Amino acid sequence: VIGQHDIYSHAGIPPIRYTSLKKGLISIIEMFASGEIYLHMPRIGCSLAGGCWDVVEDILNELWQYSNLKTISVYDLK
C-alpha cells in the first residue's frame, strides 16, 4: 500500500495521503473478499509519513464496519 508522497513535509503538509492509504487498504480487502481477513500491521502512516494515528484509526474502524475484516491487530514497533 502506498499512502504517502515523498518522505519530507512540504509547506507544512506531511507526506501521508489518507485517501491513498484508504484506497490501498480497500484494495487489500477486495483481494481477499471471499474469506475472513485478520489484519496485522504497525501504525502505518504515523512515523516517517507524519500522519495522525486518530485519522488512520478512523479509516480502519470505517473499513472494519463495512467489510469482512474480523480483527485488526496494530503493533507498536521499537
Side-chain angles (χ1 to χ4, degrees), residues 58-71:
D58 286 345
I59 291 169
L60 292 170
N61 285 329
E62 179 184 345
L63 296 177
W64 187 31
Q65 290 178 331
Y66 300 105
S67 71
N68 55 338
L69 281 168
K70 293 300 176 190
T71 62

Side-chain angles (χ1 to χ4, degrees), residues 28-62:
I28 290 171
I29 291 168
E30 289 173 347
M31 281 183 6
F32 298 99
S34 62
E36 297 176 340
I37 300 172
Y38 300 86
L39 185 62
H40 295 257
M41 56 188 246
R43 291 181 188 261
I44 56 174
C46 297
S47 184
L48 295 175
C52 173
W53 177 249
D54 291 339
V55 176
V56 175
E57 185 178 33
D58 286 345
I59 291 169
L60 292 170
N61 285 329
E62 179 184 345

Side-chain angles (χ1 to χ4, degrees), residues 6-19:
D6 210 351
I7 57 172
Y8 302 106
S9 295
H10 296 284
I13 300 170
I16 186 72
R17 299 297 183 261
Y18 297 111
T19 302

